[in-house]
Amino acid sequence: MNIEQNQIEKHNDSLLTSHQRKLAFLKEDWSHVDLESVIKKLVDFQIAIPSWALGTGGTRFGRFAITGGEPRTIEEKIEDVGLLHALNGASGAISLHIPWDIPQDAEALKSLAASYGLKFDAMNSNTFQDQKGSAHSYKFGSLQNVNKDIRKQAIEHNIEVIKHGIALGSDALTVWLADGSCFPGQLNFRKAFENTLESLQEIYSALPENWKIFVEYKAFEPNFYSTTVGDWGQSLLYASKLGKKAYTLVDLGHHLPNANIEQIVALLLMEGKLGGFHFNDSKYGDDDLTAGSIKPYQLFLIFNELVEGMDAKGMNHAKDLGWMIDASHNVKDPLEDLLQSVEAIMIAYAQALLVDRKALNEAQDNNDVAKAQEILQHTFRSDLRALVAEARLRAGAALSPIALYRGLEVRNNLVNHRGNTVATGL
Ligand code: RM4
Ligand code: MN
Ligand code: MN
């Protein structure tokens, strides 16, 4: 299904008066700020959609394919991301997980993606599941495995993923390992680290010059005693030892409870080692809930550090880090859920852009704690939705993406075309 430009225009016309009223109010309220440059940054900011989030997610207790119309092929996954991008103008890339999505004809996929204005974001390898027909099992880990042949199989898989990525025009590999141990004594931590590092070094040496490798960390699950890339310190250690193309990737759901993620982000940026983000939200662990649905203030505080840290280094907000959603959806229509995540991310970004940085620095230098809090909460509590909507309008997208999605009955349309299908993924 394609959304036509005139359908978007018709929808926008119906909401224009009310939108303009809200925008005019914001312009008056923030007249001391260059809102035009903020809107421009919002237009440029794109968040990649993971190919595995387009179907209904599951838990280890089951999967309810409640929506139907799930994409059956990579082509249909690209079509779905194309729909999102048409609606919000901010989902201009797709991130593939191999072997859930193996490209057969890279050139054809590239032109299909380009027809929707999409690029291929970071490629993701998978050595956390055994693949059909493979010689070895990852039951006791992949890159860390005590068995050299198993490590070799996992290394070769990652190199294969890089090759697929090159053909698609991607320029990054994300490695998330389930490696670790479930019981004390199971693993020699030092040897596991050394094996993992050696394996990563082999993968690193297969990276093209312009590529990055993102080392993602996760505190626990599926291993419940130790994880071999368990936190940002361990990830940073690997990334530092690997070299300048290696970076840490922060997935918001991968920390121990109450970790100060905004501080982690600030320090990784300071070290020039923050590579990218997986956005989601969580109440307990790796819940993979919609970004901003549980802790929107935390999301804002993270963006506040991101903007501060990127500006301190003169970085391009839109291009210099990898921005991606990593969430799965058990009870919502995945496309609606992704629209909500993107909206929450854009709002947090807009809020961070409007923080009075000069006043905050002064308050910090004067130890004026109450003032610092006032400054942060002033933007956090301001309703900036009209700014984000204006960015969408200028990008030719919809003022209210979910309203249009529902109005056009996109899901019914997909169900009619595809039937009661289930996508590949977790
Ligand atoms: C992991 C991790 C990875 C993702 C898999 C599907 O928890 O977040 O980034 O590739 O899930
Ligand atoms: Mn992730
Ligand atoms: Mn995760």
Side-chain angles (χ1 to χ4, degrees):
M1 176 190 182
N2 277 333
I3 297 178
E4 305 299 334
Q5 206 52 42
N6 66 335
Q7 294 174 307
I8 294 178
E9 276 159 25
K10 200 169 151 227
H11 158 87
N12 286 346
D13 283 349
S14 70
L15 297 175
L16 205 57
T17 315
S18 131
H19 166 66
Q20 280 170 342
R21 189 171 21 87
K22 290 178 199 148
L23 188 66
F25 178 76
L26 272 180
K27 282 189 174 161
E28 204 185 309
D29 226 22
W30 296 86
S31 56
H32 54 292
V33 176
D34 179 8
L35 279 192
E36 272 306 310
S37 86
V38 172
I39 294 169
K40 167 102 190 29
K41 285 183 178 140
L42 293 172
V43 172
D44 290 343
F45 204 72
Q46 299 293 318
I47 301 138
I49 303 295
S51 62
W52 60 100
L54 299 162
T56 320
T59 72
R60 67 186 191 281
F61 297 106
R63 189 181 197 202
F64 304 100
I66 47 168
T67 49
E70 295 187 12
R72 293 160 292 187
T73 58
I74 312 187
E75 287 78 6
E76 288 182 350
K77 290 180 181 182
I78 291 172
E79 183 189 338
D80 278 12
V81 180
L83 287 170
L84 294 175
H85 193 46
L87 289 164
N88 67 18
S91 307
I94 178 166
S95 190
L96 297 184
H97 223 308
I98 308 287
W100 291 335
D101 309 288
I102 301 186
Q104 302 299 343
D105 181 347
E107 279 312 310
L109 284 182
K110 256 167 90 170
S111 49
L112 180 67
S115 73
Y116 293 109
L118 307 178
K119 293 193 179 119
F120 288 92
D121 202 71
M123 301 292 292
N124 300 265
S125 58
N126 178 344
T127 59
F128 48 88
Q129 288 173 323
D130 284 342
Q131 306 307 331
K132 253 194 240 129
S134 59
H136 303 287
S137 168
Y138 297 130
K139 181 171 178 183
F140 297 109
S142 58
L143 299 184
Q144 74 167 20
N145 206 292
V146 291
N147 180 327
K148 197 167 186 344
D149 292 337
I150 301 180
R151 298 203 295 275
K152 191 161 175 274
Q153 177 181 287
I155 293 165
E156 277 166 8
H157 165 70
N158 275 279
I159 294 175
E160 197 60 42
V161 175
I162 295 173
K163 286 187 188 146
H164 283 304
I166 294 171
L168 292 170
S170 165
D171 58 10
L173 170 72
T174 299
V175 178
W176 173 68
L177 300 173
D179 293 29
S181 66
C182 275
F183 296 98
Q186 182 185 332
L187 204 64
N188 178 307
F189 296 139
R190 180 172 39 79
K191 286 184 188 163
F193 185 96
E194 285 168 353
N195 281 339
T196 304
L197 179 62
E198 208 181 280
S199 304
L200 285 171
Q201 276 161 341
E202 283 200 44
I203 298 165
Y204 187 91
S205 62
L207 287 176
E209 211 28 64
N210 62 328
W211 271 54
K212 294 178 180 173
I213 181 170
F214 298 144
V215 183
E216 183 173 357
Y217 58 89
K218 179 168 171 173
F220 64 93
E221 197 205 18
N223 275 294
F224 288 104
Y225 173 61
S226 73
T227 298
T228 299
V229 194
D231 61 20
W232 72 284
Q234 293 166 49
S235 167
L236 181 59
L237 212 51
Y238 289 110
S240 305
K241 287 176 189 286
L242 284 169
K244 63 174 184 20
K245 292 188 239 171
Y247 297 84
T248 292
L249 183 135
V250 176
D251 181 313
L252 294 183
H254 287 192
H255 303 84
L256 291 173
N258 304 325
N260 188 334
I261 304 175
E262 51 271 30
Q263 187 180 18
I264 294 172
V265 165
L267 298 185
L268 283 171
L269 262 176
M270 177 186 80
E271 287 299 290
K273 279 296 194 187
L274 181 64
F277 249 86
H278 280 179
F279 291 105
N280 49 53
D281 210 343
S282 65
K283 178 84 178 151
Y284 302 104
D286 187 27
D287 305 351
D288 281 341
L289 300 173
T290 319
S293 62
I294 306 279
K295 291 173 283 195
Y297 191 47
Q298 181 191 55
L299 187 62
F300 158 71
L301 293 175
I302 290 168
F303 262 102
N304 179 47
E305 295 303 332
L306 285 169
V307 167
E308 200 274 340
M310 288 190 289
D311 287 350
K313 291 203 171 241
M315 289 166 74
N316 180 313
H317 296 182
K319 296 204 175 105
D320 290 348
L321 295 182
W323 307 110
M324 207 186 89
I325 290 172
D326 185 6
S328 79
H329 327 285
N330 210 8
V331 295
K332 284 188 198 165
D333 176 328
L335 292 179
E336 292 192 353
D337 191 282
L338 287 161
L339 290 172
Q340 290 180 318
S341 275
V342 172
E343 174 78 2
I345 293 164
M346 295 302 278
I347 290 172
Y349 178 43
Q351 288 167 333
L353 288 171
L354 282 185
V355 167
D356 187 341
R357 207 64 52 199
K358 196 163 156 275
L360 183 61
N361 287 343
E362 268 168 32
Q364 289 169 344
D365 288 344
N366 294 325
N367 292 315
D368 192 342
V369 186
K371 182 77 191 292
Q373 180 182 323
E374 286 296 302
I375 292 164
L376 287 185
Q377 295 197 346
H378 175 61
T379 52
F380 177 68
R381 288 176 173 152
S382 300
D383 182 356
L384 301 182
R385 286 176 295 177
L387 268 194
V388 176
E390 177 65 14
R392 275 197 299 272
L393 193 63
R394 294 196 191 180
L399 278 173
S400 178
I402 291 199
L404 182 56
Y405 178 87
R406 291 195 169 192
L408 296 176
E409 297 196 37
V410 175
R411 179 55 62 186
N412 279 345
N413 201 293
L414 293 174
V415 173
N416 289 341
H417 271 87
R418 298 173 182 170
N420 196 13
T421 48
V422 177
T424 49
L426 280 177

